[in-house]
Amino acid sequence: MGHTACLRTDWYGDLLVMAACILQPVDTPVCRISEELLPTPAKSHYTFNLRDLSKQFQGMLMVTPSTCPDKDALARLWIHEACRVFADRLVSNEDRECFQKMLIELSTKHSLSTMGYADAFEQRNIAWGDFMRPGVERSERQYEEISDSAKLLKLLEDYLHEYNMSHTTPMNLVFFQHAIDHICRLSRVLRQPRGNAMLVGVGGSGKQSLTRFAAHISGFKTFQIELSRGYGATEFREDLKKLYRTAGVDGEPVVFLFSDTQIVQEGFLEDINNMLNSGEVPGLFAADDKDRIANDIREWVESTGGNTSKDGCFATFINRVRDNLHIVLTMSPVGEAFRARCRQFPSLINCCIIDWFSNWPAEALLSVSQKFLANTDLGGEAVRGSVAQMCVHIHRSVEDMSTRFYAELRRRYYTTPKSYLDLINLYLQLLQEKREELRLARDRLLDGLKKLNDTNALVTSMKADLARLQPELEAKAAATAELLIKVAADQQEAEKVKSVVAAEEKDVKVMQQQAQVIADEAKADLAEAMPALEAAIDSLKALNKNDIVEIKSFPKPPPLVQMTMEAVCILKQEKPDWDTAKRVLGDTNFMRSLEEFDKDNIPENVIKKLRKYIDDPQYQPDVVAKQSRAAMSLCMWSQAMDVYNRVARVVEPKRQALRAAEDKLVTANKQLQEKQDALGAVIARVQGLQKQLADAQSEQRKLNDQADLTRLRLERAGKLTSGLADEGIRWQATADQLQSQIELLVGDVFLSAACIAYYGAFTGSYRWALKGPC
């Protein structure tokens, strides 16, 4: 009656009456099912006790008055929880239907509800869960009835999208009703404190995928061992230690997913049996491990007011592990192993909610095939629907044939949902491959036909081109011959002009050589006077104002100074006396006048007057320098003028002869340049005509080559088209045949995929039997 006290608080009076009926100790589901559904070798887990009854009421106590407000809701909750505890472990539809009718009978007998079997199980699907409000904290979730199937489906799609976005390995789930039921059942188990589950079904039923998805919906982490070479008991216990620390020390809710394919040693199940029964694995933690755990969890124990001793902390650690850890076992009923393990490790049945995965119903198979075929072009929606129906028909036919196969030959052949998925995936793969293969073959033939048609069109075009080129070739040949004659005539004229120009160039070179001889002689004569003149000019440049003042300062100059100044005055055509000399020296431009003296036009009488000074043996620069350094420079200048005049008299006739020769040479060069220009114009005209001729000949060659190539192509294309005329017809017929095969691939490949997927285990007679209905 303790459960009644829990239900009485804040509930309506009629609910208390229902609770009293539900808690009848004799006529309850656990009593009836224990009497009517007895265990057999194939159903060894059909053992029921009061622990199962407590699990039913544990599920009912997850509701609140707001989520279960009336009598009908409580009746549906009672039926739902009874089905989750008892019906979900039943192995056949017949047993489940028997139990469901039993529930309706008890419900009617105790006046819990007026629902009939059809209303409760055929026209509706009773489901409860706590995940209909996404985003709510786990502690604030409410266990409520799920009445809107469309909303549930949309919500599961959202959860799946969220899962795929947050995990590296996405899942492609199809939410047919069968899968939705299992998701709701797993979510219910994970919601319950210390709730554990054992999922039983053949391989490929989706047990592990649905477990991961349900854990994600509940906000739990999923932990699964990873087998490797040499994996044994030591490695398994190390993984359990990590799992225990996650759940006990870190306090994170976690789902331990363990499959029968991971049972390397039977000792694994012994440890799991202890975990299910007491939560503790004997010998898992050494003394130092327990000390570390106690130190790590002591702060949390203090915050909860628990016993902080070493033993108290470890006991709290174990209890926290049991609260946060949910074990989900996935087993296969095939063979004797499952039955033996259930017998050897009773906690697998007593401490777990069993969910038996039966064969997928036709609706589930159809929804899966429709989803997988949705993105494939099969020739229209009608064909896609028919192929989806055929997938279901093939799979169900093989299931029936498997039953007959076992009945007649005692040989098992298991068809699992994985086999069905393999059929669909194999069909899609083969369909894509065969389409690519046939399309490639068809396109190759069509490309050949296109090339053949293009060749025929090209032949016609080349014939027209050849007819068009013939007049052009004739016109180009005539123009080239005419141009060749003109080039030859211009070349003869150019040769004549070239010979005349060459003769004149020879005469001009002789004149250049003669002028050069005269110039060289004049230059040699001038070279005699130029050093003395340059030395005198340099000496004059060395004089400064003080030197001039020195000479002027003589009241009566020394004889050689007097002689020097008289020579300077004679050259400047001044009176040769000292007063005149001082006046000349006083000229501010005296030095410049000497440097710029017109030495080429000295009068003859001046030279005669100067001669008596030049011929005087005392009139030497080094002798004059003894009396005046400044007078020495002027002496050198006067002597240089004499030498230059003497040389110039000899050079002048040569200069005149050179000027005459140069004038004659200029005239000859001018005439030669005119003839050279004329020759250049003729040569340029000839080169232009030659280039024009080369272009015309090149174009003529190109036209000839094009005509020859066109004729050669016409010859080859004619052979090709005549030889492939019959092949073109055959290619077209083969391409049409391949197109027909491509259109029929949808059905042909499906039959092939079905044979590959399912024929393997059957003998010949059974394969022929399967072929008939297909």
Side-chain angles (χ1 to χ4, degrees), residues 228-261:
S228 59
R229 183 185 297 273
Y231 191 92
T234 303
E235 290 76 16
F236 180 68
R237 289 209 163 190
E238 288 298 324
D239 284 337
L240 290 184
K241 289 180 182 180
K242 297 177 184 177
L243 179 64
Y244 266 58
R245 291 193 66 88
T246 300
V249 177
D250 299 337
E252 296 183 14
V254 60
V255 174
F256 179 33
L257 178 59
F258 187 76
S259 171
D260 57 353
T261 59

Side-chain angles (χ1 to χ4, degrees), residues 466-540:
L466 189 59
R468 177 179 54 80
L469 284 175
Q470 197 62 37
E472 292 185 18
L473 286 172
E474 295 175 357
K476 288 293 181 182
T480 303
E482 181 180 351
L483 186 60
L484 186 60
I485 296 172
K486 186 176 181 181
V487 169
D490 287 347
Q491 282 181 336
Q492 291 179 356
E493 180 182 354
E495 288 298 329
K496 293 178 181 180
V497 177
K498 188 175 181 181
S499 61
V500 173
V501 171
E504 292 191 4
E505 285 180 347
K506 186 176 180 180
D507 295 340
V508 170
K509 287 183 180 179
V510 172
M511 295 172 64
Q512 287 177 342
Q513 292 173 356
Q514 293 174 352
Q516 187 65 39
V517 170
I518 298 173
D520 292 340
E521 291 177 355
K523 185 176 180 181
D525 292 339
L526 287 174
E528 179 184 351
M530 291 309 293
L533 178 62
E534 290 174 356
I537 296 301
D538 293 338
S539 179
L540 289 175

Side-chain angles (χ1 to χ4, degrees), residues 548 551-552 557 561-562 564-566 568-569 574-587 590:
I548 303 301
I551 297 174
K552 289 171 59 178
V561 174
Q562 177 74 29
T564 299
M565 290 308 302
E566 289 177 358
V568 171
C569 291
E574 296 287 346
K575 184 178 180 182
D577 56 22
W578 181 244
D579 293 332
T580 304
K582 288 197 292 184
R583 179 174 55 80
V584 171
L585 288 172
D587 187 2
F590 173 68

